[in-house]
Amino acid sequence: MLAKANRITRGADYRATVRRGARFTGASTVTYIRPNPDSSVVRFGFIVSKTVGNAVMRNRVRRRLKAAAYDLLPLYSPSPGDTAGLDVVVRALPASVQAPWASLHEELSRASSRFTSRSHLSKGSVRS
């Protein structure tokens, strides 16, 4: 379970991350990552719409994504020199219902590694 400090709770933070964050698409998720100068921790948010399925399926997908995020929390942690944290929003696609947990875990891991390699290459804009 993610600690409260590691969760995005405000709608404005979700919107800002989706609009201005770097986007990484996978087969079953779309991940948006944005540096957050107001926070020093990594925060996660999850968007699972009704197109994914009924409430039981949506909650199952959300729990699986939260478990993958919790497992990858050290990977997303900012480097020691950085004072800014990260906001990560994961939007589940309908294919996420059938995707195995390892696949969801790999997609989040790949998004993190692509973001860190991109941000080290250019410290300017990170929008795709």
Side-chain angles (χ1 to χ4, degrees):
M1 176 89 176
L2 289 170
K4 185 160 177 74
N6 295 111
R7 289 183 262 163
I8 297 175
T9 56
R10 295 179 45 227
D13 294 336
Y14 274 95
R15 282 188 295 279
T17 302
V18 170
R19 288 181 182 159
R20 293 189 287 276
R23 182 178 66 198
F24 304 98
T25 57
S28 54
T29 62
V30 179
T31 305
Y32 303 91
I33 305 174
R34 162 181 94 90
N36 183 2
D38 299 333
S39 176
S40 62
V41 297
V42 179
R43 300 187 309 164
F44 286 91
F46 303 94
I47 301 171
V48 186
S49 69
K50 286 187 177 182
T51 60
V52 172
N54 63 18
V56 173
M57 290 183 197
R58 290 193 309 269
N59 286 327
R60 182 180 302 136
V61 168
R62 186 177 296 112
R63 284 192 308 269
R64 292 169 73 206
L65 289 171
K66 283 182 179 182
Y70 179 77
D71 194 44
L72 293 170
L73 194 58
L75 183 65
Y76 276 98
S77 296
S79 37
D82 291 341
T83 57
L86 290 175
D87 283 350
V88 180
V89 173
V90 181
R91 183 168 50 98
L93 300 175
S96 62
V97 173
Q98 302 299 325
W101 185 84
S103 173
L104 297 174
H105 189 276
E106 175 61 31
E107 285 186 27
L108 292 179
S109 173
R110 191 175 327 119
S112 170
S113 62
R114 287 176 58 197
F115 177 77
T116 54
S117 67
R118 181 188 290 185
S119 65
H120 287 327
L121 292 177
S122 66
K123 287 291 186 180
S125 174
V126 293
R127 182 71 180 169
S128 301

